[in-house]
Amino acid sequence: MALSPLSRCSAALIALASAAALAAQVVASAGHYGDLSLWAVMWRLLRYFTILTNLIVCGTFLRAAATGRGPGPTWVGGVVVWIVVVGVVNYTLLLRSYTGLQFWADIGLHAVVPVAVLLWWLIWGERGQTWRAALLWLIWPLVYVVYALIRGGISGRYPYDFIDPGVVGWSGLALWVPALAGVFLLAGLALVALARRL
């Protein structure tokens, strides 16, 4: 789908907002982990679903802005679901009080970018999402869980308590993973229903 000049400009702004929030997070984390190199800080941040999903958002909208073509309905639907769930989970399960640059990075990653992506899709995003797509959109979150568990098992550091077997136990993990998958599935079904109504 060819993008209008306004939608293309908006896609560029979303990519810029995501990149700025990611950069702010790197700088804030580098200040917090003063003894680590920049590469070590970035590698540590790549444990988080928020960071990886914002990178997906940045790449998706940067490509759209550069080529003038919007992402297909299945891909853009998945990006919307993933980043919106990032914001919802943060403000329901992980909310913390931050100051300084970390505050602005947190707002950018968990509020500004999710809202901007949702609005972009509502205004310009390609429709045609199918019910089967809601199942396909589970692939990235489940791949991430496997990645986080493998990486956590090697390093001993898990990005979130609810996927840390040392905190919730394997029985707790067996409850949390399906619960989170259910959240993504419900969000996906809601997006498909909204797309059909629109």
Side-chain angles (χ1 to χ4, degrees):
M1 179 185 73
L3 298 178
S4 68
L6 183 57
S7 62
R8 191 172 180 178
C9 180
S10 298
L13 289 175
I14 290 174
L16 180 61
S18 182
L22 288 165
Q25 183 62 68
V26 170
V27 173
S29 297
H32 180 72
Y33 301 111
D35 56 330
L36 296 180
S37 69
L38 182 61
W39 290 111
V41 169
M42 293 171 67
W43 175 241
R44 182 167 290 196
L45 288 174
L46 289 174
R47 293 180 298 170
Y48 295 98
F49 187 79
T50 293
I51 300 299
L52 294 170
T53 304
N54 268 274
L55 284 170
I56 290 173
V57 168
C58 187
T60 297
F61 284 89
L62 183 62
R63 181 180 183 276
T67 63
R69 298 201 57 82
T74 300
W75 181 255
V76 74
V79 172
V80 173
V81 168
W82 302 329
I83 197 65
V84 167
V85 171
V86 162
V88 170
V89 169
N90 178 72
Y91 287 108
T92 56
L93 297 178
L94 304 171
L95 186 60
R96 297 178 183 176
S97 179
Y98 295 112
T99 59
L101 186 60
Q102 180 62 65
F103 170 81
W104 294 108
D106 185 71
I107 291 293
L109 295 170
H110 297 110
V112 173
V113 172
V115 170
V117 169
L118 178 60
L119 289 176
W120 190 93
W121 176 75
L122 287 171
I123 299 170
W124 296 296
E126 191 171 350
R127 308 290 188 255
Q129 288 82 7
T130 65
W131 297 111
R132 186 177 65 176
L135 294 175
L136 293 175
W137 296 333
L138 294 177
I139 293 174
W140 164 232
L142 293 176
V143 166
Y144 170 77
V145 169
V146 172
Y147 160 75
L149 289 174
I150 292 173
R151 181 169 170 172
I154 294 171
S155 68
R157 295 190 182 95
Y158 293 85
Y160 307 105
D161 286 346
F162 50 78
I163 57 171
D164 184 346
V167 175
V168 299
W170 288 102
S171 59
L173 192 66
L175 294 175
W176 270 109
V177 171
L180 290 170
V183 169
F184 280 99
L185 180 60
L186 287 174
L189 293 172
L191 185 137
V192 173
L194 180 58
R196 294 196 166 202
R197 177 169 288 274
L198 292 173

